[in-house]
């Protein structure tokens, strides 16, 4: 993990200390990486006693219902005043989230492996060198020292496998393989 990402993880850790209600959102027509990273992060945040809302703007495709916790995803966003932070994951461009522009930039934390192109937030981890957003979420959960469980691991593994074409794409690194083995 590079030093800049590690510093941003520390900023997230400090910000989480005072947060109670957290929205975790991903893009329209979500794929397995979008949902796997969202579900894993949501589950991890619950383990540290944060109330989480998992949001997708669209109805989910039937093939995605194998992911643990998928029934907790909502399609209506809670009002901005009820949310302390929003984790925006794997979206590329903010408009793909279909979130209200009323959310303050000071509430948005972006984690994405796509090229920089319209992501927002007071913390922006936009790292195209990683195989998937799920890989970055694994590193964040590890940095926060939140224990891995079967549900979190299943969601992260599904996201990584999906975005790497079963570990065949060029974005698969030795770090990706180490994370998958763990």
């Amino acid at each position: 993990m590079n030093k800049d990402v590690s510093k941003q993880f520390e900023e997230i850790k400090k910000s989480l200390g005072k947060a109670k209600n957290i929205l975790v959102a991903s893009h329209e027509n979500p794929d397995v990486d979008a949902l796997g990273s969202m579900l894993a992060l949501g589950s991890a945040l619950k383990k540290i006693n944060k109330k989480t809302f998992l949001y997708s703007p669209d109805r989910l495709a039937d093939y995605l219902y194998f992911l643990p916790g998928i029934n907790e995803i909502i399609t209506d966003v809670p009002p901005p005043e009820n949310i302390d932070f929003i984790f925006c994951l794997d979206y590329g461009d903010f408009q793909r989230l279909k979130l209200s522009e009323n959310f303050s930039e000071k509430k948005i934390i972006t984690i994405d492996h796509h090229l920089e192109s319209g992501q927002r937030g007071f913390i922006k981890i936009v790292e195209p060198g990683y195989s998937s957003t799920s890989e970055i979420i694994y590193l964040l959960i590890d940095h926060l020292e939140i224990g891995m469980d079967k549900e979190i691991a299943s969601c992260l593994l599904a996201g990584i496998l999906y975005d790497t074409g079963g570990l065949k794409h060029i974005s698969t690194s030795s770090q990706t393989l180490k994370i998958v083995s763990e």
Side-chain angles (χ1 to χ4, degrees):
M1 174 172 39
N2 73 44
K3 291 179 185 176
D4 289 339
V5 171
S6 185
K7 286 179 186 177
Q8 290 172 305
F9 284 172
E10 264 313 299
E11 285 182 58
I12 291 171
K13 189 175 191 175
K14 289 175 189 170
S15 297
L16 284 176
K18 52 192 164 194
K20 293 183 178 136
N21 299 314
I22 300 171
L23 177 65
V24 184
S26 193
H27 59 77
E28 60 193 346
N29 302 312
D31 60 17
V32 180
D33 184 35
L35 294 174
S37 58
M38 177 174 36
L39 292 164
L41 181 58
S43 183
L45 291 171
K46 286 179 191 170
K47 289 176 86 169
I48 58 170
N49 299 315
K50 305 299 177 186
K51 184 169 182 169
T52 60
F53 304 91
L54 307 176
Y55 166 74
S56 173
D58 295 320
R59 184 182 172 279
L60 305 176
D62 290 340
Y63 80 92
L64 297 168
Y65 279 84
F66 73 94
L67 291 165
I70 200 157
N71 291 322
E72 295 179 32
I73 295 174
I74 59 174
T75 55
D76 295 322
V77 178
E81 61 272 7
N82 295 344
I83 300 297
D84 297 311
F85 290 107
I86 309 166
F87 279 91
C88 298
L89 307 179
D90 194 54
Y91 64 94
D93 188 301
F94 192 78
Q95 292 179 351
R96 293 187 69 212
L97 296 169
K98 296 184 180 176
L99 287 173
S100 167
E101 294 292 330
N102 294 333
F103 283 106
S104 165
E105 191 88 9
K106 295 175 184 177
K107 289 187 173 191
I108 298 172
I109 298 170
T110 286
I111 300 176
D112 199 346
H113 76 111
H114 295 101
L115 294 173
E116 182 93 28
S117 65
Q119 294 96 332
R120 292 177 44 192
F122 78 99
I123 298 174
K124 288 193 318 187
I125 300 172
V126 180
E127 293 289 334
Y130 289 92
S131 70
S132 58
T133 299
S134 292
E135 183 174 335
I136 302 170
I137 294 298
Y138 170 89
L139 295 169
L140 174 61
I141 291 170
D142 185 56
H143 185 86
L144 296 174
E145 299 175 344
I146 300 171
M148 189 65 53
D149 61 25
K150 184 178 177 180
E151 182 177 304
I152 294 170
S154 295
C155 291
L156 293 174
L157 180 60
I160 292 169
L161 290 175
Y162 181 84
D163 260 23
T164 62
L167 305 175
K168 295 177 190 170
H169 294 179
I170 196 161
S171 62
T172 304
S173 67
S174 59
Q175 175 176 274
T176 309
L177 297 173
K178 183 177 184 280
I179 288 169
V180 166
S181 72
E182 289 176 8

